[in-house]
Amino acid sequence: MHRADLSRRRFLADASRGLPSAWLALRLPDLARMHHHLTQQPVPAWGAPGRWLFFTDPQAVEVEAMAAQILPSHDGPGAREARCIRFVDFGLAKFWPEDRPAFRTGLRQLSADVRAKYPGYTRFSRLEPNWQYEMMSAMEGSAFFEMVRTYTLAGFLCNPEYGGNAGRVGWKHIGFEDRFSYRPPFGWYDRDENRPS
């Protein structure tokens, strides 16, 4: 395995542990409802123009560009490949309306910051990648950045039924086995149980 792969896996493992526990604790019942809702309904046609559940097309492009800076694709699957934007869109539309104002306000502020820093540009997604990186670095630690980061990481590692982790790329990348039932023996702790007497 390449060093870049190891460092990326370590980053994702550390980042997933760093998902704000308060955010996850508050949303566990909603994630259960999300699972139930998705098993009872046809899968939405996410991402087609005009088919977003919460975002407008331009908003979705901006959030996806931010997510792609948080989890870039250059050394493995990133936010784009995992389609994290679908998780964000679905979650905001159906389960976390309290976060909608922060996303709207944050996107308006992002557009104003782009115009102020890069005259002639109005959209973060149209900036050169190194300019996007500079802007994201300046935003790091802000409430909006942390919210986008949390949703992005959750979308990368979530059950694919929730919209993100397309093709299970997040799970594959961290080495998570996509099996929800296991057969004994499970490991070192029960190996002696299966030895003949």
Side-chain angles (χ1 to χ4, degrees):
M1 186 179 297
H2 296 297
R3 178 173 288 172
D5 292 334
L6 284 170
S7 62
R8 184 176 172 82
R9 281 178 189 236
R10 190 171 298 117
F11 165 76
L12 287 169
D14 291 346
S16 63
R17 279 194 298 274
L19 284 173
S21 56
W23 188 90
L24 286 174
L26 289 172
R27 282 153 171 85
L28 283 175
D30 293 330
L31 289 170
R33 284 192 309 122
M34 182 184 278
H35 175 75
H36 176 75
H37 176 81
L38 287 170
T39 57
Q40 305 300 315
Q41 304 292 327
V43 175
W46 281 294
R51 297 301 297 269
W52 299 104
L53 301 174
F54 168 71
F55 291 124
T56 63
D57 288 341
Q59 288 173 334
V61 170
E62 295 297 276
V63 174
E64 185 176 48
M66 292 178 71
Q69 283 293 326
I70 293 166
L71 280 179
S73 308
H74 54 76
D75 61 349
R80 289 188 197 279
E81 289 78 12
R83 298 185 189 145
C84 295
I85 187 64
R86 298 188 315 184
F87 172 85
V88 180
D89 180 62
F90 188 75
L92 290 171
K94 300 288 184 181
F95 296 97
W96 303 304
E98 67 276 11
D99 290 341
R100 293 176 194 166
F103 266 87
R104 289 187 183 112
T105 301
L107 287 169
R108 279 194 300 271
Q109 185 61 54
L110 180 64
S111 179
D113 292 346
V114 167
R115 286 194 304 272
K117 189 168 174 87
Y118 301 103
Y121 289 89
T122 59
R123 304 203 32 206
F124 176 82
S125 57
R126 300 265 171 90
L127 297 176
E128 296 292 327
N130 58 323
W131 294 351
Q132 289 181 355
Y133 179 81
E134 285 176 15
M135 290 205 70
M136 292 290 286
S137 296
M139 292 171 60
E140 196 168 355
S142 70
F144 181 53
F145 175 89
E146 290 303 322
M147 186 171 284
V148 174
R149 176 182 173 271
T150 299
Y151 272 84
T152 299
L153 292 171
F156 191 76
L157 298 171
C158 71
N159 188 318
E161 291 177 349
Y162 304 160
N165 193 13
R168 295 168 167 76
V169 295
W171 288 352
K172 290 172 187 172
H173 199 72
I174 63 170
F176 174 73
E177 285 190 46
D178 181 15
R179 291 189 299 163
F180 291 102
S181 64
Y182 296 85
R183 304 177 107 184
F186 299 115
W188 61 268
Y189 52 86
D190 62 357
R191 71 174 170 244
D192 292 337
E193 292 298 316
N194 296 310
R195 286 188 180 165
S197 307

